[in-house]
Amino acid sequence: MRVAYDCDVLVIGGGIVGLSTAYAITRAAPGTRVVVLEKESGPARHQTGRNSGVIHSGIYYRPGSFKARFAVRGAAEMVEFCAEHDLPHAVTGKLIVATERAELPRLHALVQRGRENGIPVRELGPAQITEYEPAVRGLAAIHVGTTGVCDYGAVARRLARLAEDAGSSVRYGAEVRTVGRRGAVVAVRTARGEVLRARALVNCAGLHSDRIARLAGDDPGMRIVPFRGEYFELAADRTDLVRGLVYPVPDPAFPFLGVHLTRGIDGTVHVGPNAVPALAREGYDWGTVRPGELAGTVTYPGAWRIARRHWRYGAGEVRRSLSRTAFTTAVRRLLPEVRAEDLIPAPSGVRAQAVLRDGTLVDDFLFAESPGMVHVLNAPSPAATASLPIGREVARRVLAGLEKGLRA
Ligand SMILES: Cc1cc2nc3c(=O)[nH]c(=O)nc-3n(C[C@H](O)[C@H](O)[C@H](O)COP(=O)(O)OP(=O)(O)OC[C@H]3O[C@@H](n4cnc5c(N)ncnc54)[C@H](O)[C@@H]3O)c2cc1C
């Protein structure tokens, strides 16, 4: 029987990973018909449009991991991409600053890791810190030269345009509600009742990636636990306190980098994000609660194992979320001159963090495949930095699957 396909590849999700994947497919296999389905009315409305806008160097990540390989390469490619397409960006470099003696061994370990990942770093004492950042205080720091900033929303919009110019279609307001697979056909139905049939499907649904995998009949073996990151902005007359990017030494128990100071591409200085549990997958404030999603999280064994293991850290984060004074006290460790009234609330973001049943926070990017499908199950920071190599990796997997299907 001849099957009428609407396209070759359906991509669910118009964030930077889905759009980079569509772009990479059209570059690797011109003529492949790709349709991207995005539930919102435009691209980059979730993680991609709500982040720190940092082009990460790759210093933090375990050598050999997807994160290390894709961030180092991705950072260089992101700078080139922005330059080629005239998108706002700057390579500013950044400081990672130890403010307590207990952090010094971890700072030295980062120097080592940077070298293993091929990233040049410079070690600084207190006086040298103030040469870079006069208002920042610390016991020691490292300067990483290849870190930068850009506007990932603008990058996503350009990727969408490039994919469309190459013959792909990007459809907004197209929420995928069901996914079915029969033989060599993958079919989805959208909230509007539209049905689309394809040879392959790519799941880049970010905060909903585990749900899409389950809808497709695949067991993802993980669950997305949403962690909100809240930001403040420095008042306009205080932005001169920060020249570039200043990070604390991260806690290795968590895949989050700690509250940092980032001068964005538009000159505003963001302070954040923290990491508090979100009460909905798209829960951008404490008032947004989705009882069904919350119940799904709290009944998941992995979530209560995290709570049991990390309750002390979590309680501190929640306290700093609810009290601006507590938040300011934490920021003062790096920036002693900052006052509570200098901090103006700014839009938050929610991280799609994959958690295993045993409570392990998945650290690396996580991909899974089943016949006709590729799922991107964990693409947290630095996935925006690494989005060009990630897109190529997903494209390679889906095109290999298509080829196998054609030979069968
Ligand atoms: C607070 C915060 C700070 C960060 N800072 C940085 C940083 O400085 N540098 C960096 O490199 N990374 C950073 N990240 C990480 C980075 O933003 C993400 O890794 C990246 O944006 C992930 O892109 P994505 O396309 O996978 O997800 P998303 O951008 O979330 O896109 C997923 C898309 O899927 C759509 N979707 C979901 N379900 C459906 C459905 N059923 N049907 C149709 N569409 C659907 C959603 O609407 C969404 O648009 C940060 C993230 C956060 C939250």
Side-chain angles (χ1 to χ4, degrees), residues 293-363:
E293 293 182 359
L294 184 56
T297 301
V298 296
T299 55
Y300 181 59
W304 32 271
R305 287 191 175 113
I306 300 178
R308 209 166 45 210
R309 235 174 265 159
H310 301 300
W311 66 270
R312 201 185 293 275
Y313 176 93
E317 290 288 280
V318 171
R319 193 165 64 85
R320 285 184 287 276
S321 164
L322 299 174
S323 155
R324 190 179 313 189
T325 310
F327 188 90
T328 312
T329 305
V331 178
R332 275 212 193 109
R333 279 177 45 202
L334 280 173
L335 194 65
E337 282 179 52
V338 81
R339 301 164 307 193
E341 60 269 29
D342 298 332
L343 298 174
I344 298 163
S348 62
V350 179
R351 306 170 180 88
Q353 176 61 52
V355 176
L356 305 183
R357 283 184 75 81
D358 67 2
T360 305
L361 294 149
V362 178
D363 189 47

Side-chain angles (χ1 to χ4, degrees), residues 13 15-17 38-39 46-48 51-52 54 176 205 231 379-380 383 385:
I16 202 164
V17 173
E38 166 55 52
K39 67 183 169 68
H46 294 289
Q47 296 176 92
T48 300
N51 56 44
S52 300
V54 173
V176 172
Y231 290 95
T385 302

Side-chain angles (χ1 to χ4, degrees), residues 10-13 37 174-182 185-191 194-205 208-218 370-375:
L10 278 171
V11 177
I12 304 179
L37 299 173
E175 178 179 352
V176 172
R177 286 275 177 86
T178 63
V179 182
R181 178 166 31 197
R182 185 170 295 170
V185 188
V186 180
V188 304
R189 183 187 291 273
T190 67
E194 194 184 9
V195 174
L196 286 149
R197 291 176 190 79
R199 295 175 198 277
L201 178 133
V202 180
N203 164 12
C204 300
H208 302 274
S209 62
D210 55 336
R211 283 171 142 182
I212 295 290
R214 273 192 297 274
L215 280 180
D218 292 330
S370 66
M373 297 196 191
V374 180
H375 303 287

Side-chain angles (χ1 to χ4, degrees), residues 88-272:
H89 71 287
V91 179
T92 53
K94 84 165 176 185
L95 294 186
I96 304 174
V97 181
T99 52
E100 291 175 10
R101 296 197 72 77
E103 292 172 342
L104 293 175
R106 280 192 269 135
L107 188 70
H108 292 306
L110 273 182
V111 173
Q112 196 51 36
R113 183 156 275 192
R115 289 191 179 131
E116 282 171 72
N117 286 336
I119 298 157
V121 298
R122 196 178 152 217
E123 295 181 72
L124 310 176
Q128 291 159 307
I129 294 174
T130 52
E131 279 170 26
Y132 283 98
E133 292 284 352
V136 170
R137 295 287 172 273
L139 298 175
I142 52 181
H143 180 259
V144 189
T146 49
T147 307
V149 285
C150 70
D151 175 350
Y152 287 118
V155 173
R157 289 190 290 278
R158 184 56 55 98
L159 286 168
R161 209 174 86 194
L162 291 171
E164 286 179 309
D165 288 350
S168 300
S169 137
V170 184
R171 299 195 193 172
Y172 298 108
E175 178 179 352
V176 172
R177 286 275 177 86
T178 63
V179 182
R181 178 166 31 197
R182 185 170 295 170
V185 188
V186 180
V188 304
R189 183 187 291 273
T190 67
R192 291 185 184 149
E194 194 184 9
V195 174
L196 286 149
R197 291 176 190 79
R199 295 175 198 277
L201 178 133
V202 180
N203 164 12
C204 300
L207 287 153
H208 302 274
S209 62
D210 55 336
R211 283 171 142 182
I212 295 290
R214 273 192 297 274
L215 280 180
D218 292 330
D219 173 10
M222 45 59 81
R223 188 182 165 89
I224 291 293
V225 174
F227 284 94
R228 187 171 61 253
E230 297 159 326
Y231 290 95
F232 287 94
E233 230 175 77
L234 279 188
D237 61 341
R238 300 289 278 167
T239 54
D240 56 353
L241 286 178
V242 179
R243 288 182 177 172
L245 310 179
V246 184
Y247 281 67
V249 181
D251 183 335
F254 300 96
F256 313 131
L257 298 179
V259 167
H260 39 268
L261 311 164
T262 38
R263 180 177 279 274
I265 198 69
D266 60 358
T268 56
V269 176
H270 274 83
V271 184

